[in-house]
Amino acid sequence: MRILAIESSCDETAAAVIEDGRKIVSSVVATQIEEHKLYGGVVPEIASRRHCESICAVAAEALERAEMKAADVDAIGVTYAPGLIGALLVGVNYAKSLAFGLGKPLIPVHHIRGHIAANYLAYPELKPPYMCLVASGGHSHIVEVLDYTEFRVIGRTIDDAAGECFDKAARAMGFPYPGGKYIDKASKIGELGKYKLPKPHTQNPYDFSFSGLKTAVINLIHNAEQKGDKIDVNALAAAFQKTVCEILTDKFISAARENGYKKIALAGGVAANSGLRASLENAAQENGMEFFVPPLELCGDNAAMIGAQAFYEFQKGHIADESLNAYATMSLDKVRY
Ligand code: KG4
Ligand code: ZN
């Protein structure tokens, strides 16, 4: 079964053709980052406009690379939640029109379920149940993946998401948006031990809290500025990345151990972080767990992951009609159409 998948939840317009949920036939991602960089973050109105301008060409390119016509695909999958509402609506309306024009099934896909499914494209042998750490620009979750379309979120951030924290700390350090990858790069040459950052406490041990860490970085920089001290940005990046990775790794591994999971996966934009990949790899090895993580190109937003999840949603009969709407917020374990 070949699914044409569409993704437009934030600042990437993407389309892909995926076979049986596991094989990428084609995948096209048009990013708007350069434009949003000018404003230090994603401007929702600009995002929606750029999606409108590029969605037809991006979908056509995905079909062309797959050497297919729209009429040859078996179904259309689309991200319908969560995300920027104006951005989501572009993809949803495009997918709806295509599906009903062609008489093909329309499959609504939750964006975070898609991030998790990126692992199926990388590991043909991976099957639920397993536990997944999702860390993206908008979400930080510890999720039990009970089945392909059955999830239980057992921990989540009570304030900022991990990626959001990376981006805000990076901004304070003077890096461009989105700053996660710049911190990652700087931390590799930064001296460890020069700065110490706090690890926040949460009532539920599997929940995360990142806003205190973000504030600590901002305060450290302001205090140094006021005293005329120079900040060693690379060392601060190294301290920050180490702290975030330890928080994510410690909580996630405890959750997996305490709930009896021997298979663990990582997903979301922050899964591209070299420190996090390494620390989870090590922790998995120490605890006799199997560790799965998508390749870098499947960590950030893309439509291939949406096509992978769409296949499993279709198997469960999760098909939408022309009344499908987009939703800015929705928990991945309580989806509605
Ligand atoms: O999943 P994603 O592409 O979009 C959302 O669904 O939110 O995640 C984007 C986030 C941004 O916060 C970005 O800074 C972060 O992923 N990110 C990274 C790295 N690459 C991307 N964070 C840390 N280290 C990286 N190498
Ligand atoms: Zn995402």
Side-chain angles (χ1 to χ4, degrees):
M1 176 182 198
R2 286 189 167 190
I3 295 175
L4 172 65
I6 306 290
E7 153 68 39
S8 71
S9 66
C10 190
D11 55 355
E12 262 94 31
T13 318
V17 176
I18 301 301
E19 197 169 285
D20 296 335
R22 297 276 174 168
K23 184 174 166 236
I24 302 175
V25 183
S26 68
S27 176
V28 179
V29 180
T31 181
Q32 312 170 352
I33 292 238
E34 286 309 314
E35 193 168 359
H36 296 293
K37 233 180 210 169
L38 301 173
Y39 306 97
V42 177
V43 183
E45 181 58 27
I46 293 177
S48 313
R49 284 169 190 244
R50 296 297 168 261
H51 286 308
C52 284
E53 286 161 9
S54 48
I55 197 149
C56 295
V58 168
E61 176 79 26
L63 287 168
E64 197 181 314
R65 287 194 203 169
E67 298 180 355
M68 292 173 79
K69 294 197 167 47
D72 302 331
V73 302
D74 298 300
I76 313 291
V78 65
T79 306
Y80 75 116
L84 300 171
I85 193 67
L88 284 165
L89 279 168
V90 177
V92 166
N93 283 302
Y94 179 81
K96 256 196 221 182
S97 319
L98 204 57
F100 295 109
L102 296 166
K104 307 281 179 182
L106 175 66
I107 311 164
V109 179
H110 188 285
H111 182 76
I112 302 299
R113 290 188 178 194
H115 271 301
I116 296 171
N119 282 288
Y120 301 135
L121 297 167
Y123 301 97
E125 74 282 11
L126 175 62
K127 290 189 179 86
Y130 58 93
M131 190 170 264
C132 188
L133 172 66
V134 182
S136 73
H139 299 83
S140 303
H141 286 338
I142 294 178
V143 187
E144 287 185 75
V145 184
L146 305 167
D147 204 343
Y148 292 103
T149 60
E150 219 184 301
F151 304 82
R152 190 184 299 138
V153 179
I154 62 164
R156 59 178 81 224
T157 181
I158 57 167
D159 41 54
D160 292 354
E164 191 181 353
C165 185
F166 261 104
D167 296 342
K168 287 176 178 167
R171 187 177 183 156
M173 292 179 208
F175 293 119
Y177 177 85
K181 68 174 180 193
Y182 297 96
I183 290 191
D184 197 358
K185 209 168 153 202
S187 75
K188 287 182 183 153
I189 48 169
E191 182 190 332
L192 265 177
K194 220 167 163 178
Y195 298 104
K196 189 154 170 46
L197 294 166
K199 283 189 193 161
H201 174 78
T202 54
Q203 215 156 28
N204 168 0
Y206 303 152
D207 278 347
F208 300 105
S209 167
F210 287 111
S211 78
L213 178 59
K214 168 193 71 186
T215 309
V217 170
I218 293 170
N219 287 345
L220 196 146
I221 294 170
H222 281 174
N223 289 342
E225 275 170 3
Q226 275 170 354
K227 285 196 238 155
D229 291 347
K230 207 172 154 7
I231 285 281
D232 180 343
V233 174
N234 294 333
L236 184 55
F240 175 82
Q241 178 152 313
K242 182 169 178 283
T243 308
V244 175
C245 292
E246 281 175 1
I247 295 169
L248 290 168
T249 303
D250 291 351
K251 288 184 179 248
F252 180 47
I253 294 293
S254 303
R257 232 186 4 230
E258 286 157 20
N259 289 278
Y261 284 90
K262 284 283 175 197
K263 284 197 284 186
I264 58 166
L266 177 60
V270 182
N273 186 267
S274 62
L276 185 58
R277 295 170 84 93
S279 82
L280 281 177
E281 177 93 60
N282 281 341
Q285 225 167 41
E286 277 168 17
N287 287 279
M289 296 169 180
E290 239 185 313
F291 175 52
F292 303 88
V293 60
L296 294 186
E297 67 275 14
L298 291 177
C299 290
D301 289 347
N302 65 84
M305 66 186 199
I306 302 302
Q309 183 60 24
F311 176 74
Y312 295 103
E313 299 289 348
F314 181 80
Q315 307 287 308
K316 283 280 171 188
H318 298 163
I319 294 167
D321 62 21
E322 64 280 5
S323 66
L324 179 68
N325 204 352
Y327 300 91
T329 57
M330 186 184 291
S331 183
L332 85 158
D333 52 359
K334 292 185 198 76
V335 299
R336 59 187 192 281
Y337 304 109

